[in-house]
Amino acid sequence: MTGAGRLSTAARAIVAGDRRALARAITAIENGDSAAEPVLRSLYPRTRGIPVVGFTGPLGVGKSSLINALVGLLRDRGRTVGIVAVDPSSPFSGGSVLGDRIRLDRPADDTGIYFRSMASRGAAGGVAAATLEIARLLDAAGFDFVLVETVGSGQVDVAIREIASTSIVVLVPHLGDEVQTLKAGMFEIADVFCVNKSDLPGADLARKDLADLVSLGRAEGRWAPAIVLTSTVEPMGIDGLWRAVEAHEKFLDDSGERRAGERRRLANEIVGLVRDRVGRDLTARLEADPKLRSLLDRVVARSLDPRAAAEQLLIRGRRAR
Amino acid sequence: MTGAGRLSTAARAIVAGDRRALARAITAIENGDSAAEPVLRSLYPRTRGIPVVGFTGPLGVGKSSLINALVGLLRDRGRTVGIVAVDPSSPFSGGSVLGDRIRLDRPADDTGIYFRSMASRGAAGGVAAATLEIARLLDAAGFDFVLVETVGSGQVDVAIREIASTSIVVLVPHLGDEVQTLKAGMFEIADVFCVNKSDLPGADLARKDLADLVSLGRAEGRWAPAIVLTSTVEPMGIDGLWRAVEAHEKFLDDSGERRAGERRRLANEIVGLVRDRVGRDLTARLEADPKLRSLLDRVVARSLDPRAAAEQLLIRGRRAR
């Protein structure tokens, strides 16, 4: 990848390792500020498609401590890492209310890590789209890996698939009984199951339950989710967890899944951008354009239903353009 | 509202009070099944725009118990009520993991209530759109009120504004200190603040903190959020909570806000339907249409960035149609 084309001052600063320029660009993304666009555009050719590792799971399973431990391991090995903690777009910050925040045990002057917590209500295309763009900036800024934590539970959990190349579902032993009832959706998400707090009783049972479930979904040529027991108290299993991530990343390369997954994610991103733009334009026109306003009047009056109105708008859009 | 037009068998059954027909239509909405469409369309003229009361707030504040108490009060008064518990679209059902489920203390043969829990991952336009349509079915089925609970926290919380005519933000006394740090978004949502578990210490302080915040946002002609202390243990304040709901619903009628709010919600719903349809169509065409596929190829190859690709698609859409 050459991508040595014209870079704006901000983009050049980010590539050169200027963390304040990076922070400003991320803030612009968070706020849905159009100032982020030229930076994102000019840096896109510089991105290499580095591994993005997503962490999701119920509240209180210790995702933050796990990430802290992994960051320590990666820094000890001389690897650089960007961390994004995504707070679901809620006025009740799961983070601040529940105290579930990443606290990194790293020297403040360690330039090999960059941590950013994002409570994104403003981001135009939603939290997932903003996170994807932030991961891309971290890629262009030269980091080796990006770790993404979804704070709390909610729709972002499922969206991790749209962001991460490897998704880790974090559970704890005493959820062992619950694993049976957890929805199948977990298996669409998990590349790695991590049973954290495995110093607590029941870890082996949880592993067995997960292994049984994994074996049910096993298919030739497909990745079978790895199961790793960890504890950040002991600590234990942190290197094993990273080995599982590396194994999955290698599988992505060997199987061609990396290219396929990236293509799928980019397609979804482009569709999302088009969809949001169409939505914004239509919202503006719905009250400004007299014909569209009278359509809405009829829906309010119950003489036309919302789906019929939507269909008329789609047909009108095809004709008028 | 006459709406005596042709109704399908399913629609007629729902209007006649057939709960199994109602349940089937709701399931179809949940699954994004097109079988729901004709039912929704033919019933739309039958809807009256009944009050839809939304409950949101952090986990563990007792929303479910509160709803259970309100249902008791409403049934004692001979009013009928539909309840929808919305589970954010997550594989980790906040409900099942955390046991935060509505358990109604009502006779099983009470036909004056209808309860439905919705864990909607399949619904086409997302959880909020599906909930809106379910509330509309309950309206057409003749219920006096719909209560909507968002289980857990997440994006659905904010979306309650798109569903409910009155939104109740439920807090508890020991969150008193946190109220100061809760984001301003809470005030965009709350028509009523409910301090539940007010048998616990700190309820009066929480009320005072909320009253201070409410007074800051007070404006002529606008609704000032009511603050109600409740306890489902004592029980206490349940009738006061419902009076606050009724007062807000009366304000909506007197101020013209009901019409304005309904119009805004319908506009958003129509825009959402158009946006989703455009997105689905584009997703299909992006791999099927050779021109669009080559556009995606260029994004994958980093020679075109996603936003530029989206812009080209928007321009192409305008020209081609």
Side-chain angles (χ1 to χ4, degrees), chain A residues 123-139:
Chain A
V127 179
T131 308
L132 202 58
E133 293 186 328
I134 291 170
R136 205 168 277 154
L137 282 188
L138 293 166
D139 184 336

Side-chain angles (χ1 to χ4, degrees), chain A residues 37 41 44 47 93 133 155 183 185 262-263 275 287 297 299 302 304 307 311 318 321, chain B residues 37 41 44 47 93 133 155 183 262-263 275 287 297 299 302 304 307 311 318 321:
Chain A
E37 285 195 30
R41 287 189 164 192
Y44 184 66
T47 58
S93 153
E133 293 186 328
Q155 296 180 313
K183 299 190 189 96
E262 191 185 59
R263 190 182 178 89
R275 196 177 47 205
E287 290 290 1
D297 288 341
V299 177
R302 305 286 198 275
L304 187 73
R307 285 177 191 243
E311 257 167 41
R318 286 192 198 107
R321 284 166 182 175
Chain B
E37 285 194 30
R41 287 189 163 190
Y44 183 66
T47 57
S93 153
E133 292 185 330
Q155 296 181 312
K183 298 190 190 95
E262 192 186 56
R263 189 181 179 90
R275 195 177 48 206
E287 290 291 2
D297 289 341
V299 177
R302 305 287 197 274
L304 187 74
R307 284 178 193 243
E311 258 166 42
R318 284 189 200 109
R321 283 165 184 175

Side-chain angles (χ1 to χ4, degrees), chain A residues 171-179 195-210 227-230 236:
Chain A
L171 299 167
V172 288
H174 61 262
L175 279 177
D177 296 342
E178 306 267 0
V179 165
V195 182
N196 196 30
K197 304 191 182 182
S198 279
D199 47 304
L200 299 176
D204 282 321
L205 188 62
R207 188 219 298 262
K208 194 190 159 300
D209 287 344
L210 285 168
I227 302 162
V228 184
L229 305 196
T230 58
M236 163 199 116

Side-chain angles (χ1 to χ4, degrees), chain A residues 128-197:
Chain A
T131 308
L132 202 58
E133 293 186 328
I134 291 170
R136 205 168 277 154
L137 282 188
L138 293 166
D139 184 336
F143 287 97
D144 295 326
F145 304 102
V146 173
L147 310 183
V148 177
E149 179 195 0
T150 63
V151 176
S153 66
Q155 296 180 313
V156 178
D157 289 334
V158 177
I160 199 74
R161 261 264 157 270
E162 289 311 310
I163 299 163
S165 53
T166 296
S167 299
I168 303 179
V169 169
V170 186
L171 299 167
V172 288
H174 61 262
L175 279 177
D177 296 342
E178 306 267 0
V179 165
Q180 303 290 351
T181 62
L182 284 174
K183 299 190 189 96
M186 205 166 67
F187 281 87
E188 295 161 28
I189 292 177
D191 301 310
V192 178
F193 284 108
C194 172
V195 182
N196 196 30
K197 304 191 182 182

Side-chain angles (χ1 to χ4, degrees), chain A residues 44-130:
Chain A
Y44 184 66
R46 301 270 184 155
T47 58
R48 298 153 291 156
I50 58 169
V52 176
V53 184
F55 296 77
T56 189
L59 277 171
V61 295
K63 293 189 290 288
S64 303
S65 311
L66 211 52
I67 288 176
N68 183 32
L70 276 178
V71 169
L73 176 142
L74 291 170
R75 293 301 296 132
D76 288 347
R77 296 180 185 177
R79 312 307 298 268
T80 58
V81 54
I83 306 112
V84 187
V86 181
D87 207 334
S89 174
S90 162
F92 309 102
S93 153
S96 65
V97 171
L98 294 151
D100 184 18
R101 274 281 154 88
I102 298 183
R103 283 185 190 78
L104 295 171
D105 301 329
R106 300 297 309 171
D109 62 351
D110 182 353
T111 57
I113 63 167
Y114 181 84
F115 171 75
R116 181 68 175 240
S117 144
M118 187 177 69
S120 158
R121 295 186 68 206
V127 179

